[in-house]
Amino acid sequence: MKLRDIYQLPQGEVQEDYALGEWYNTLINKDITELDINDLCRMTKQNIFIELAIGFLKLNPLEGDVYDGQLLEVLFSVDMEKITEQKELLKEILMDVKENIEMDNFMSDEDFNEYKDLVDKFLTKINLYYYLDWLYAFQGFFFGGYLVSNKANIIFGV
């Protein structure tokens, strides 16, 4: 089944020389089995079909085109608001990776350590989001509504 059928998406009109529109129309006319790592990374960067990228990450946590862990790194850059519905699954995947990843899967110690650091940072990001989500929900009770509503501002100072 094509992505456009699964998500009930219309075929968009593409103006000439717009590579992103052409790619999008090609993407939504693919079956899930036809997606490649380039599609997964690009759609994640565009904040679309992120749940598919997380599903692929579950199958292969080292998924990447240019380097191992590329898909995980792209997902790490996504705003947590975009993956809220998938955060439990993502946390489960990351915990499994943290417990089971081995040096043998990497070309060098440096690659292994960078990947482990990324997993740790991602878990911290998810846990912070959980905490701030809870805090935000009870902001009126604890802070009289003074807590800043933009969680990213609190976490990353942006």
Side-chain angles (χ1 to χ4, degrees):
M1 183 176 252
K2 307 284 186 206
L3 290 178
R4 77 172 178 317
D5 298 328
I6 294 170
Y7 292 97
Q8 300 175 350
L9 301 169
Q11 185 80 24
E13 289 186 30
V14 179
Q15 296 177 358
E16 287 186 37
D17 300 328
Y18 284 96
L20 188 59
E22 290 175 16
W23 165 78
Y24 177 78
N25 280 332
T26 301
L27 177 72
I28 66 172
N29 285 300
K30 288 185 177 184
D31 288 326
I32 290 177
T33 58
E34 295 175 313
L35 295 175
D36 60 27
I37 185 62
N38 292 320
D39 291 328
L40 293 169
C41 288
R42 194 169 189 182
M43 65 190 198
T44 302
K45 289 176 185 178
Q46 296 299 319
N47 291 320
I48 58 173
F49 311 128
I50 293 170
E51 68 280 358
L52 294 177
I54 293 171
F56 275 80
L57 187 69
K58 184 174 181 158
L59 296 174
N60 181 4
L62 295 175
E63 189 72 59
D65 179 38
V66 179
Y67 54 90
D68 290 336
Q70 182 179 4
L71 181 59
L72 181 64
E73 186 171 48
V74 171
L75 280 166
F76 178 74
S77 69
V78 171
D79 183 355
M80 283 299 297
E81 296 286 335
K82 302 290 183 188
I83 58 176
T84 299
E85 293 178 12
Q86 300 290 320
K87 65 184 172 187
E88 283 295 329
L89 175 59
L90 189 54
K91 187 173 181 178
E92 180 183 309
I93 293 167
L94 293 170
M95 292 301 294
D96 186 54
V97 167
K98 185 174 180 167
E99 293 172 11
N100 296 307
I101 198 73
E102 296 179 4
M103 175 56 200
D104 296 344
N105 297 344
F106 296 87
M107 299 290 286
S108 69
D109 289 347
E110 183 180 355
D111 291 344
F112 175 68
N113 290 327
E114 284 179 10
Y115 187 79
K116 279 182 23 181
D117 288 346
L118 178 61
V119 170
D120 287 338
K121 286 178 186 176
F122 211 156
L123 283 167
T124 300
K125 181 179 178 179
I126 291 170
N127 289 332
L128 262 174
Y129 187 82
Y130 273 123
Y131 173 73
L132 290 174
D133 206 29
W134 173 84
L135 194 60
Y136 182 68
F138 293 100
Q139 73 174 351
F141 178 75
F142 291 114
F143 300 105
Y146 186 69
L147 186 64
V148 177
S149 62
N150 185 348
K151 295 174 204 156
N153 204 7
I154 296 168
I155 297 174
F156 303 107
V158 292

